[in-house]
Amino acid sequence: MVKTKRGRVLWSMPSRGRGTCPVCRATRIKLLYPRTQTGGTGVKVCKRCQNASAAAIDAITV
């Protein structure tokens, strides 16, 4: 059976949920995974970087 709602939420996101990952600098990649820096600031990262170390997440300058 077809799943008509799969991925539908991406259409309402800016740039369809794509951008440049702040950890690995990959371009035009989906940024769907929220991570929290030590200061409490939330950032979205790609699937490959969702398990990145806390040091790598804290090194992000927004």
Side-chain angles (χ1 to χ4, degrees):
M1 189 166 197
V2 178
K3 311 266 191 297
T4 57
K5 302 294 183 185
R6 183 175 293 173
R8 179 66 79 176
V9 72
L10 292 176
W11 289 89
S12 62
M13 296 175 75
S15 298
R16 308 287 191 250
R18 292 182 182 268
T20 302
C21 179
V23 178
C24 65
R25 303 284 187 235
T27 57
R28 297 178 61 196
I29 194 164
K30 291 181 191 172
L31 302 175
L32 301 176
Y33 303 92
R35 290 291 306 265
T36 305
Q37 293 178 323
T38 304
T41 306
V43 293
K44 295 222 177 203
V45 296
C46 67
K47 187 174 186 177
R48 291 182 291 186
C49 298
Q50 71 178 339
N51 296 322
S53 66
I57 300 298
D58 288 340
I60 299 170
T61 56
V62 178

